[in-house]
Amino acid sequence: MAAHALFYEEGIRATGVDRVIERASVSKVTFYRQYASKDDLIRAYLDYRHGMWIAWFEASLAQETKSGRTVPDALTTTLRTWFAREDFRGCAFLNAAAELGSSEPSILETVQQHKRAMASVLDRHFSADAAKIGEMVALLVDGAIVHVQMGRSMDEVLEALGASIEAILRR
């Protein structure tokens, strides 16, 4: 999806529909048959990103825990892999919320659904350690994403994240 690459790399507001049409090599008529508005395209981008990212996130956590890592270590390893990617530009959903603010309530609902799904994945993985901590850990993960995106050392951020999770588990 051309919009996926452009929106994630350059930002939603910075990317016009004409640029997406050009990158996708489709006619305007073809484009507008699929997406009546840029908002429809944004929702499709976020839906696509959600499916792709959440599947990767779950698979990575499962693989890391099967290899013998604790859940907190599996999470920091998973995030380290993502943060180290050359194309890492933060969380597409946090970026969308920051760019669009409250001006697009339906898009914010999509962002909120993604964050609830991430918390649910975390709940499932941490269930053996503590009940229903997914939302707390998800908030910590969001903070870690933002700090790495702002240029803070990945190692420092992941160390702080791990220590914070361990503190929650000990409570």
Side-chain angles (χ1 to χ4, degrees):
M1 171 186 260
H4 177 266
L6 289 169
F7 285 163
Y8 187 68
E9 291 167 14
E10 299 176 13
I12 293 170
R13 287 189 188 261
T15 303
V17 170
D18 288 340
R19 181 127 160 75
V20 174
I21 289 169
E22 178 186 322
R23 172 78 66 94
S25 299
V26 297
S27 70
K28 283 188 179 193
V29 171
T30 299
F31 175 84
Y32 283 109
R33 279 189 193 136
Q34 292 291 316
Y35 307 104
S37 68
K38 186 175 180 182
D39 286 351
D40 289 344
L41 179 62
I42 295 166
R43 278 189 292 281
Y45 154 67
L46 291 173
D47 289 345
Y48 173 79
R49 180 75 181 192
H50 170 75
M52 184 178 64
W53 191 88
I54 225 58
W56 166 82
F57 186 61
E58 285 187 284
S60 182
L61 287 173
Q63 178 183 349
E64 294 299 331
T65 55
K66 282 180 188 172
S67 74
R69 284 190 164 77
T70 65
V71 177
D73 287 344
L75 177 59
T76 57
T77 299
T78 292
L79 293 175
R80 180 179 302 282
T81 299
W82 180 36
F83 294 167
R85 287 182 52 135
E86 189 175 305
D87 67 345
F88 176 76
R89 193 180 165 274
C91 172
F93 299 87
L94 294 176
N95 293 346
E99 283 191 62
L100 302 173
S102 59
S103 66
E104 300 296 335
S106 67
I107 292 170
L108 283 181
E109 176 57 31
T110 300
V111 170
Q112 292 164 355
Q113 288 171 0
H114 171 76
K115 293 303 178 181
R116 285 191 297 269
M118 183 176 77
S120 179
V121 168
L122 292 167
D123 268 338
R124 285 193 301 276
H125 282 275
F126 280 96
S127 66
D129 297 321
K132 293 292 194 185
I133 68 162
E135 188 172 328
M136 289 184 278
V137 174
L139 288 169
L140 294 171
V141 168
D142 284 344
I145 293 166
V146 171
H147 279 267
V148 170
Q149 187 177 6
M150 292 186 320
R152 187 168 169 200
S153 161
M154 177 176 35
D155 291 334
E156 285 179 19
V157 169
L158 292 174
E159 185 177 320
L161 174 64
S164 298
I165 292 169
E166 291 297 338
I168 290 171
L169 293 174
R170 284 192 305 272
R171 69 175 177 101

